[in-house]
Each structure stands twice: as structure tokens, then as C-alpha cells.
Amino acid sequence: MNYFLSFILAVSLTSLSYFFGSILTKNAISVLAAFIIGTSVVSLGSITEALGAPIWLIVLIPFPVGMFMLYLFMKKPLPIWFLTYITTLALYSVIHIIMSYFFNFHSLIPAWKLS
């Protein structure tokens, strides 16, 4: 799969995890907000990778950005935001496991290859 398609797929799956994570906790953000977060998180990870950073930094850097943007879009108290973020992270991990194991797609968490 070429880089552009991998990027689009990673943005889509990341955005879906934010959107459905917020729906599951009954604190839904808009599809546009989820897409903005997904695009920002994946873009930051891609830029970090392009700069030649170590894999642990490529995985670590996008987390605070996604957390902060989710907080801004939700406009909810910290405990509710935290529950939503944990739910999102759990969905993101499940999506990664499925994509990595069955489809050999490792762009969601590059350091955690399961296939």
C-alpha cells in the first residue's frame, strides 16, 4: 500500500476511534471534530517519523495533541473527558490489533507489530 493510502486509512481509523469513543460515553463530538483530531494526530506522527525520530517518540508525540484536542472539542469536565479518552484509546487499540494482525497494517502504532 502506498504512503498516501496508508495515511488516509490511518486518519480514517483514528478519527473513527475518537468519534465512536465519544459516542460510547454519551459525550459525542461531531464527525468533523473527530476528523480534525484524527488528521492532526496522524499528521504529527507522520512528521515526527519523517524527521527521523526514534519509534518510541513517533508513538508518544501524538498522544498529548489528541488528548488536548478532544478536551477542547468536548467542553466537559476532566473526569468525563478522561473516561472518553480512555474509551477512545481502548477502541484505537482494538482497531490496531485487528488491522495489524489480519491486514498487516502497522501505521496506527508502528512500534507494535502483531503480524
Side-chain angles (χ1 to χ4, degrees):
M1 180 178 302
N2 72 29
Y3 189 81
F4 181 73
L5 289 177
S6 293
F7 180 83
I8 296 300
L9 183 58
V11 167
S12 300
L13 295 173
T14 302
S15 299
L16 283 174
S17 69
Y18 277 94
F19 181 69
F20 287 121
S22 68
I23 285 177
L24 286 174
T25 59
K26 297 183 172 64
N27 299 297
I29 59 174
S30 68
V31 172
L32 180 60
F35 180 73
I36 291 169
I37 296 170
T39 302
S40 300
V41 166
V42 173
S43 296
L44 188 57
S46 296
I47 290 168
T48 306
E49 180 182 23
L51 292 174
I55 196 70
W56 64 268
L57 196 57
I58 295 168
V59 173
L60 181 68
I61 290 286
F63 278 98
V65 172
M67 294 168 82
F68 181 69
M69 291 181 79
L70 181 64
Y71 181 75
L72 287 178
F73 283 119
M74 282 183 56
K75 300 176 187 162
K76 300 282 183 177
L78 280 175
I80 294 171
W81 161 81
F82 185 71
L83 176 65
T84 304
Y85 186 75
I86 293 300
T87 304
T88 298
L89 196 56
L91 282 172
Y92 185 85
S93 296
V94 168
I95 289 170
H96 166 73
I97 289 168
I98 292 167
M99 293 302 292
S100 182
Y101 188 78
F102 292 108
F103 301 103
N104 206 20
F105 182 76
H106 306 293
S107 291
L108 294 171
I109 306 174
W112 186 22
K113 295 180 179 175
L114 301 177
S115 57

